[in-house]
Amino acid sequence: ALGDAWAAKDHFGESLRRRRTPHALYGRALAWEKLGKRANARDEAATLADEFPVPDDLHDEVIALLARHGLEAVERPK
């Protein structure tokens, strides 16, 4: 998703300017991963998993992110 640490840093800065949304949490988790901050990435992913259902447009990406951190997703009702 992100090419290098500088792109991750830029993406992280942009996500901080957004409200607390599933997309922002997902972006911050990815950025923390790219920056090598696994604990921070897990915290963002845990917040995403605890507070939001998996967004339809990011379903596969969010499921993969949560799996990398040993977390389970809350699926949207069908």
Side-chain angles (χ1 to χ4, degrees), residues 9-78:
K9 180 182 170 292
D10 291 342
H11 189 76
F12 178 70
E14 177 61 31
S15 72
L16 288 176
R17 289 186 278 282
R18 290 188 264 164
R19 299 191 128 247
R20 190 178 179 118
T21 66
H23 290 82
L25 289 165
Y26 172 72
R28 284 194 295 271
L30 281 184
W32 282 124
E33 282 182 337
K34 285 292 184 179
L35 293 170
K37 304 290 186 176
R38 185 159 171 78
N40 296 52
R42 189 180 194 293
D43 289 345
E44 296 286 358
T47 301
L48 172 59
D50 291 344
E51 296 184 13
F52 298 98
V54 176
D56 292 336
D57 60 333
L58 289 176
H59 183 272
D60 294 343
E61 293 90 344
V62 169
I63 296 299
L65 169 73
L66 297 176
R68 286 193 300 272
H69 294 282
L71 301 168
E72 294 183 21
V74 174
E75 297 285 345
R76 288 185 183 273
K78 301 281 180 190

